[in-house]
Amino acid sequence: MNKIARKPATRGKPGTRNNKYVFAFGGKTDGNASMRELLGGKGANLAEMASIGLPVPPGFTISTEVCNHFYAYKESYPASLRGDIDSAIRQIEKQLGKKFGASGNPLLVSVRSGARDSMPGMMDTILNLGLNDETVEGLAAASGNSRFAWDCYRRFIQMYGDVVLGIQAENEEEEDPFHQILDRLKLGLGVESDGDLTTENLQDLVKKYKSLIRKKTGKSFPQDVIEQLWGAIGAVFKSWKNERAIIYRQQYGIPTEWGTAVNVQAMVFGNLGSSSATGVAFTRDPANGEKSFYGEYLVNAQGEDVVAGVRTPNPISFMAEELPENFRDLEKVRSKLERHFKDMQDFEFTIEDGRLFILQTRNGKRTGLAAVRIAVEMQRERLMTQETALLKIPAESIDSLLVPVFDIKALKAAQVIARGLPAGPGAATGRIAFTAAAAELEIKRGNKVVLCRTETSPDDLKGMLHSQGILTSRGGVSSHAALVARQLGKVCVCGASDISINYERKTLTAGKVVLREGDYISIDGTTGAIYKGMIESADSEVKRVLEGSLRQDKSYTFELFQTVMKWADRHRQLKIRTNADTPAMARQAVAFGAEGIGLCRTEHMFFEGNRIDYMRQMILAVDEVERRAALTKLLPFQKKDFVGLFRAMDGRPVTIRLLDPPLHEFLPHDDVVRRQLAQKLGVPLEFVIERIKALHEENPMLGCRGCRLGILHPEITEMQTRAIFEAAAQVLKGKKKIRVNPEIMIPLVGFRAELQDQLDIVHRVAQEVIQKRGVKINYLVGTMVEVPRAAITADEIAEIADFFSFGTNDLTQTTLGLSRDDMGSFYEEYQKKEIYSQNPFASIDQSGVGKLMTLASSHGRQVKSELKLGICGEHAGDPSSIDFCHRLGLNYVSCSPPRVPVARLAAAQATLRNK
Ligand code: ADP
Ligand code: MG
Ligand code: MG
């Protein structure tokens, strides 16, 4: 991933000659589309377009190597550059019959930035360069339009003053000084639009601009066009390190070593009158992917006018009437670009007095839905193969076909009150509930709820289950709230530090807005936006088809979804399982294509209804007899849950993890609940408090949890095993004769002896039930690999395990010595300093944790070649981690139900990418 910086030390050292730094396009063309590292995306594609005969104004690209040289050697250039640029300019002059800096028919150029990946608007560009007091008259004479010439001149001085000379607004509220002058002039003249300014007005403006420059810099505006050119080139290189660009690179993980190229290109003019125009177009609709021409343009305008919003541009379809011939040309360009670049293109064009020029093209940015639709349709149009189409869809895009969405019209009218971290994608709207209990109450009344908490704990699970979405004011994207939300497929916005929640007064405050419990709130887990009030939202079409409330042939989105999934299944090698604890989750996952359960967390089964009381009774028991009594009451519930799960999975493998969390997590923190519990159990409150104290652990993550619990209290393992096999027997013997394939998983094993201890219990109880019920049950017993010691001693453990499942959440915590819930204080600093390239809890730390996984896999399979390998951590839904798991040769990945489709696609892409 991380490209090593091309160090200029050897190649571009001052004085070392014969490096090619300048690449021409538009006449004799040196570059092509594959050279984006050297020429930047813009430069490479300008060359490519020129070479396929598209009308590109001639120019040249100064390579990214020069940028690296510029920064390595105190903002200086390779010695040969000056000569190369001189001759490149001469080339253009010859081709166009114009001269740079000449008083008759002068050549004007643009100086444009352009990095390897497009960074729209982040860096600087200067237009109309080459104008001065003399050449402006030359341009006026040559074009026969002196208003146009002076319009170009004032635009140039303004851009140059801003970008090269650094004359900018003092603060964000203020307009830049050039615009202030322009506004004052227009006000004085009583004109509204720039277009109403006469030649004389523009000449006056130029005078004013020049004196501003003299005042601010102590020097006059440079009249020497060569000086202008070098000033602009330096400014564009410098803009690689402006604040905007740096922030953008951080956001998108673009290394600073890439550098930008500089493109110098002959100007064409969209501001020559009513048969001239400039615009931006997409070959297909980037919002929904539809194959329709999309874009906008302005007549008699230049460059940024379209984006800058000086005048409202027209939709591209208007061109069919206004400039019909150019529109036909543009349609041809549209299809030529697509056929050539084989992807949706976003391109810039200018019409100069009836002649069309193309100034840029790149693969267009698009929404998830558009990504899917474009890939599928381009495959159908034979523009790409199925394999290419699959690789073109960012795996995450599939998600946007599945999540509920806000109604677009309703959204426009809504008020954003704050923003948080987008942690669970989708749209949720509902009444505010500050507690799980309040949430339940609202649900019973038939209302939708958004659970709003400062942060969440396992106690809130039930409330979360019933809510449309979860909003927290604290905690990051890997906080409990976020984790569970993703697991449940809930919409979630977390860490919204601008809101404050007061549980006592039951208020949620964001700036001046105060909302109370029961008021409506809406959250967008895709963007992190929080809105006041109710916003209409709808289930995704795909979900409605899968659930049967929408007919398949009524949804094109569903057809797209099905197509991509079918293709993906054809190519992938990894099996996709799911992490599911309830029949409902299991059914949803199966509908999404899950091929088994890779993790059923049995502790989640203890929270429902009065089970929690029996659970608490079991935990508080002073001896085995009491503990067994409580467990006996829990057994039927567990059995019933497993029956449901086995039925829902219909013969697919079901991995059940025995009780994992430390027991105190099940005990109440709250005094009132403690008192109620004491009453229910008929024990004194002091006893409850004493026991809770006794169970307290300094560091529960590393305390009595996982297999340690079952080793300390074998009766828990016995009960759970009995429940599993009783359930299996019942389902097997049921009328429907459903097959059952349980895989029992022992958590937090670090020693072979730990596994052996639990294994003995599981096999003993399993055989008891099997014999008693007279059934044959195929089952496996394996272990999680989630502490480094398990990975390191994998060969020993593999001898007695049927399978390994990498629990990468804990494996990351224990390998990095880092609690997932305590990253808040330093994570941001770590990101800034790029110490973690990614959040290690979101994407596998391949060079650290990944090494342990590699070790465990190879040692495990050396001992037992048929050892089944899987992963059930959060990472199993992350595309780049899935790619890693594929390369590791795992049998399956197991992710949350809503991530199953993403995982299917990512697994196929992993196969194709690693062929
Ligand atoms: P960005 O990368 O921010 O889009 P560009 O280098 O593409 O910046 O330039 C900004 C604007 O100037 C674009 O609208 C482009 O079409 C216009 N432009 C750039 N070069 C020329 C040129 N040679 N002739 C006419 N317009 C140009
Ligand atoms: Mg551009
Ligand atoms: Mg674990």
Side-chain angles (χ1 to χ4, degrees), residues 154-169:
R154 62 102 184 179
R155 286 169 186 266
F156 172 50
I157 297 177
Q158 188 244 307
M159 275 192 174
Y160 198 91
D162 168 6
V163 173
V164 184
L165 306 175
I167 300 171
Q168 283 151 4

Side-chain angles (χ1 to χ4, degrees), residues 6-9 12 14 65-76 241:
R6 254 175 291 126
K7 290 238 166 61
E65 284 188 343
V66 177
C67 185
N68 286 333
H69 185 290
F70 183 80
Y71 283 108
Y73 298 99
K74 300 195 189 127
E75 309 198 341
S76 72
K241 294 212 174 165

Side-chain angles (χ1 to χ4, degrees), residues 657 660 705 747-748 784 786 807-811 813:
R657 179 182 68 186
D660 181 50
R705 53 169 293 212
L748 216 76
M784 293 194 73
E786 56 183 338
T808 46
N809 297 347
D810 272 315
L811 191 58
Q813 296 205 98

Side-chain angles (χ1 to χ4, degrees), residues 405-456:
V405 285
F406 279 131
D407 182 71
I408 293 175
K409 267 195 223 121
L411 201 59
K412 280 200 182 124
Q415 181 197 352
V416 178
I417 56 167
R419 285 180 190 281
L421 304 168
T429 200
R431 288 177 190 269
I432 294 175
F434 291 118
T435 60
E440 248 178 291
L441 208 68
E442 283 289 358
I443 304 286
K444 280 206 187 110
R445 291 190 193 132
N447 294 324
K448 291 188 168 171
V449 163
V450 174
L451 182 66
C452 302
R453 307 275 304 159
T454 50
E455 56 203 332
T456 65

